[in-house]
Amino acid sequence: MVEPTDRSSTAGQRLGAPESFGVSTLEPGLRPPTQPPGKLVSIRVQMLDDTQEVFQISQRSPGKVLFDLVCAHLNLTEGDYFGLEYQDQRKMTVWLDLLKPTLKQIRRPKNTILRFVVKFFPPDHTQLMEELTRYLFALQIKHDLACGRLICNDTSAALMVSHIIQSEIGDFDDTQSWQHLLHNKYLPDQDAIRDKITDCHRKHVGQTPAESDYQLLEIARRLEMYGIRLHPAKDREGIKLNLAVAHTGVLVFQGYTKINAFNWSKIRKLSFKRKRFLIKLRADPNSHHDTLEFAMASRDCCKIFWKICVEYHAFFRLFEEPKPKPKPILFTRGSSFRFSGRTQKQIIDYVKDSELKKVPFERSPVRNRDSEPVLQPRHQQLPPPHKLAQSHRDDQWSRSAALRSPSSGDSPLGSPHVVVNGNGPVNDQVMGSPSVLGPGQSPERQQLSPLTSPLLTEAGYVRNDDEDEARRKKFPTDKAYFIAKELLTTERTYLKDLQVITESFQSIVGKDEAFPDPVKNLISANYDPVYKFHQGFLKEVEQRLAQWEGRSNAHIKGDYQRIGDVLLKNIQGLRQLTIHLQKHSECLVELERACRTSRKVETLCREFEQQRVCYLPFNIFLLRPLHRLLHYKLILERLCKHYPPTHDDFRDCRAALADISEMVLQLQGTMMKMENFQKLLELKKDLTGIDGLVIPGREFIRLGCLSKLSGKGLQQRMFFLFSDSLIYTSRGMTPSNQFKVHGQLPLYGMTIRESEEEWGVPHSFTLFGQRQSVVVAASCAAEMERWVEDIRLAIDLAEQSSSPDTDLLSSSLSENSKSAIYSEQEMEDELCSSRSSLERQGHRGNTTVHVCWHRNTSVSMVDFSVAVENQLSGNLLRKFKNSNGWQKLWVVFTNFSLFFYKSHQDDYPLASLPLLGYSVTVPSESENIHKDYVFKLHFKSHVYYFRSESEYTFERWMEVIRSATCSASRSLPSTRKDLY
C-alpha cells in the first residue's frame, strides 16, 4: 500500500473528503480488499495533478487491488469513471485489466509508470455527483488541451483556459495574469490567443474554483472531440479514417471531423478478426450493408479498441456489472474479457443513497512565479498548492516486502562463488593462497572465506569502534544530509566508471591500429565531455558536503546545509549534454559492429575486459551515463519527499526533479532498448552452439537453473528464455567456460502444464512444443512460479510475432543434435575442470549466468532493470561470524554483487561477493551484535555482518541488497520496519 509520511494530510482530507469512504470498484462502500499473500511490489502511479505516488501490492494481486488503493488514497467515491493506463511491451497504450494479475500485465514494474486518468466521459457533467470528481475531470480537460487532443476553435480554447486560470490564481490582475500565462503553457499555440484568454479572464471576477471547474466542463462537453481517443483505421477502399467510442456508440472520424456514428441501439455485435474490426448492425431495410469492416494496423490494435468498446457499452448501457461467463469444459472460443466495475447507474444510485457529506474544497490560489521562472519551466509546470496529493514517493522499494525463504540450500554447487582480484576462487577455493584460513575454518577442510585477501582476512582487521562512534556523533543527523552523502558516494563511483571508458579503454585502443578510427572518435567525442562535466560536479558536491559537516566553513557565514541548489545548477548543465547521452546507444551499437566485423577488435575488447579495472562487462560501463540519470531522479525524489514545501531547499530540489524527470522520459525508450541489447550481447559471450542471438525484436526474459527430466533422471541445465524461444544448456569444459546449447524449444504454439503429480517430481512442469516435449523441475515453488509466469508471457509474445519458425541453433547442432549433447560423464567431469578454466578466463567465470548455475537460481530482465537503479556506494564496517573487530571498507553494490575496496580512490576492487541466493536480515539477540544499524548476509554456513552510519544508510543498504538476493527472511523486526 502507499506509505504517506503524514497520514493526517492525505489528499482526500486536504480536499475535504470524508475519511470513512474508501472505495472498491466492485463492492461499493468497502475499503480495499485484503491483498493475497506474496512478496510486495512497488508500482508507481502518476496522478492527474502530475504528482507520482508509489503503491505496494502483492505480486499476485489483480489490477483491481491497485486501482482500489489509488481510489482509497484519494478518498474518491466515484472512482469507476477513471482507469489506469500504461504502455505495454509493444509500446501501445492500454488500460490495466482489473481482473487479471497486475504483474502479468506489467512486465517491468520498476520501469513502468501507470497514469490515473479519466476513462469514461459522461455526456453531462452534472451526472458527476462529487466536487472532487469534477475537479479531477477538470484536470483531465486541462491535460487534453495542453497536449492538443481536445481540438476546438480559438474562442472555446481561450474561454476554457481562462476558467482554468481563474481556478488556479483567482481574479484577474493585469501583471500577475500575464506573467502566469508566460510561465504556464495550457495550449500548444497559446501565444497566438493570449489576448483572448486575458479578455475572458477579466469577466470571471468572483468566480470560485468549483464554479470554474463547472464552467470548464460545461464548455468541454459540448465539443465534438470531448473525451474522444482516436484509433487509426482504413475503410474497405483504403481511405484513412479514425475510430472512436463514446457514451452513444462507435464514431467514425476523417481527420478531426465526425463523418458517421453508430448508436448502441443499432449495433448487434462488435468483433475483430485479425486486424479487421467488424461492426454488425441490426437489420435495416434502408441499409445495404449489415456488416461494416475497418482495417486497423494490427490484431493488437483491433483488440485494444474492441475492449474499450465493450467497456463503454457496459458502463453506459447496463444497469449492473455483467456476470462472468461460465468456463467451458473442453474448448474455449473467443475472448473471456469482460467489463469489471460498477456501471454509471450503479455509481449514481450509490452516491444518492449514501447521503455523503459534501465538504467544499479548501484551495489556495497558485502564486505567480514570474520571479522564479526556473521553478516552473514551460515544458513541465509544478502542481499548484491545491494539488490532489503530496508526492509521497516511496524510495524504499522493498522496505516492507515479504522476503522469500532460502531456496538454494540444495544446490549441488551452492557455495558462494567469488572472484578475488578479477581472477580466482570458485566454491571457496582460493588460488595461490592455500595456507590462509578464513575465520572459523578448520585446517583439515582448507575452506576459506569468500572474501580472502590480505585486506579481508582476520589479520587485516582494524578495531576502531570507539573512535568511529566519536567521529559519527560530530556529523549532522538530518536525513537530508545522508541523502546528499549518498549523492556524493555514488558520484565518486560513477566518475571512476567513466574513467574506465575515457582513460583506461581509450589508452588501449589509441595504441592499436586495428581499432577503427570512426568508433574511437565516436566514443571519445561523446564520453569525454560527460566525464569532464562530472569532474566539476563532484568537486561542487564534495565542497558542499564538507561545508555541511562544518569541516571547511568555520570562517564563512551562510546556510550550507542544503544540496538542491547544487543539483539544480548541475542538472541544468547536464541537460546541455543530452545530445551526447543520446549518442551513447550509437556507441554501443558501433562497438558491437566493429567486434563482429574484426576478430582483432573483438580480441582487444575481450582482453580489456580481463583487466582488473574493468570489473564489469565493458558494455555496462557504456550505459552508465543513462543509468545515472535514474539515480539522480531517485535521490531528488527522496529529498522532495523528506523536505516540507516550506523548506528553503525544497523549491530547488523540485525544480531539479522536474528537469531530470524530463530527461529520463526523453531517454527512457533508448535506455530500455539498449539494456535488452546489452543483455543479449552479454549472453552471446556465455553461450556456444548458437547463431544469430542478437536480432531486432528479440527480448531477453529470464535465465536460470532448472533440472531436466530424462531417461537417466534429473540433470541440471541452464535455461535461457527469450520472447520467441527457450533454449537449454549445460556448462561446458571449454577454456572460455561457456555454456553449451543442448536444444531449443520454439515458443510459437507451445503449451505448459504443471505435472508434479504425473511425474512424482516436486515443482515440475511440462512444456509441450511443436517438435518435442520437455519435463523440467525448479528448485522450489517460488522458482517454479516465476518460470511458469514468464514462459506463459513469452508464449503470448511469440504468438503475436510474425515469425513462428525462428531457429537460434547453429547449423552443426541443428543437423546433428545428438552428437553435440554431452554424456553424463562429461557432466560430472566439468565440475572438476571449473578451476582451471576459471584461472584462464577471469571475469567470465563470475558472470550472472555462472552465479545462477552455482546457486541454482534464476534472474529475469525485470531483475536486471531493478539492478540498474539499485546501485549504492559508501563506507561500511564489516566483520566475520567468529571475529571480534570491525574492518572499514569502501563497498560498491552493482550488478547483483558487492565489490570491496580499501578506499574510494582505488582503481579496482580487491574482492567481490555475488549476492544471488544470499539472505539479508538483521542479527538476532543470540548473535550478540550490540551495535546500531547492522545487517547480516548469510548463505548456508557463510555469514557476514555490516554496519552503516545511520538509519537512512542502513535502510538504503538493506533495500538495494534485497533487490539482489533471491532468498531472504519474510520480514524485518518491527523496530526496523518504519524508520521514517
Side-chain angles (χ1 to χ4, degrees), residues 423-462:
N423 298 277
V426 62
N427 305 332
D428 293 346
Q429 299 181 22
V430 179
M431 295 29 162
S433 55
S435 61
V436 181
L437 294 181
Q441 301 296 334
S442 63
E444 290 79 15
R445 288 191 63 188
Q446 293 286 305
Q447 188 176 25
L448 301 177
S449 163
L451 301 181
T452 306
S453 73
L455 169 72
L456 301 174
T457 56
E458 177 81 28
Y461 276 16
V462 180

Side-chain angles (χ1 to χ4, degrees), residues 28-214:
L30 298 181
R31 289 187 177 278
T34 303
Q35 299 197 34
K39 179 181 177 182
L40 294 182
V41 178
S42 295
I43 303 291
R44 193 173 293 261
V45 178
Q46 180 162 316
M47 302 297 184
L48 278 163
D49 64 347
D50 291 331
T51 60
Q52 290 182 9
E53 306 287 341
V54 175
F55 298 88
Q56 294 208 338
I57 63 169
S58 167
Q59 59 184 358
R60 299 180 180 178
S61 294
K64 174 184 177 299
V65 169
L66 175 60
F67 185 72
D68 284 355
L69 285 173
V70 177
C71 291
H73 175 64
L74 295 171
N75 282 325
L76 180 59
T77 307
E78 299 171 292
D80 302 79
Y81 285 103
F82 302 84
L84 293 169
E85 66 175 8
Y86 64 98
Q87 273 200 338
D88 65 7
Q89 68 275 6
R90 302 158 298 183
K91 308 299 181 188
M92 303 179 74
T93 301
V94 296
W95 293 103
L96 184 72
D97 192 320
L98 301 186
L99 299 181
K100 291 183 178 179
T102 301
L103 294 189
K104 285 192 176 181
Q105 303 177 66
I106 303 173
R107 293 183 55 202
R108 306 177 73 181
K110 288 285 287 184
N111 296 85
T112 303
I113 298 177
L114 288 85
R115 293 179 296 276
F116 180 78
V117 295
V118 175
K119 187 174 186 179
F120 302 111
F121 290 80
D124 187 353
H125 61 94
T126 59
Q127 294 174 322
L128 305 175
M129 311 299 288
E130 295 293 310
E131 187 177 338
L132 170 60
T133 314
R134 291 194 291 274
Y135 174 54
L136 294 173
F137 266 75
L139 289 177
Q140 182 68 64
I141 298 302
K142 177 181 172 183
H143 276 274
D144 290 352
L145 280 171
C147 70
R149 178 184 284 167
L150 184 54
I151 304 296
C152 59
N153 59 42
D154 289 350
T155 302
S156 297
L159 191 55
M160 285 191 287
V161 171
S162 69
H163 285 299
I164 295 172
I165 297 175
Q166 176 71 21
S167 172
E168 291 183 346
I169 66 173
D171 290 346
F172 178 80
D173 175 88
D174 202 355
T175 303
Q176 183 188 30
S177 300
W178 188 261
Q179 289 292 339
H180 190 78
L181 275 172
L182 275 177
H183 301 304
N184 295 273
K185 194 160 188 176
Y186 298 99
L187 296 168
D189 54 350
Q190 178 173 297
D191 293 345
I193 60 170
R194 192 181 301 165
D195 292 336
K196 275 191 176 183
I197 296 172
T198 54
D199 288 342
C200 293
H201 188 195
R202 284 189 178 93
K203 302 173 183 176
H204 303 329
V205 175
Q207 186 171 285
T208 67
E211 292 170 341
S212 296
D213 292 343
Y214 187 94

Side-chain angles (χ1 to χ4, degrees), residues 715-739:
Q715 299 171 317
Q716 186 182 3
R717 293 286 184 262
M718 196 72 185
F719 280 73
F720 298 83
L721 177 63
F722 302 97
S723 56
D724 54 0
S725 63
L726 176 69
I727 65 173
Y728 53 95
T729 69
S730 66
R731 208 181 69 177
M733 298 184 295
T734 63
S736 59
N737 211 39
Q738 291 173 299
F739 284 81

Side-chain angles (χ1 to χ4, degrees), residues 4 15 130 158 170 212 312 335 370 408 514 637 654 687 751 770 779 832 857:
L15 294 173
E130 295 293 310
S212 296
Y312 251 82
S335 173
D370 56 320
S408 48
E637 286 174 345
R654 190 62 186 268
L687 297 175
T751 57
Q770 294 180 337
S779 59
C832 304
T857 187

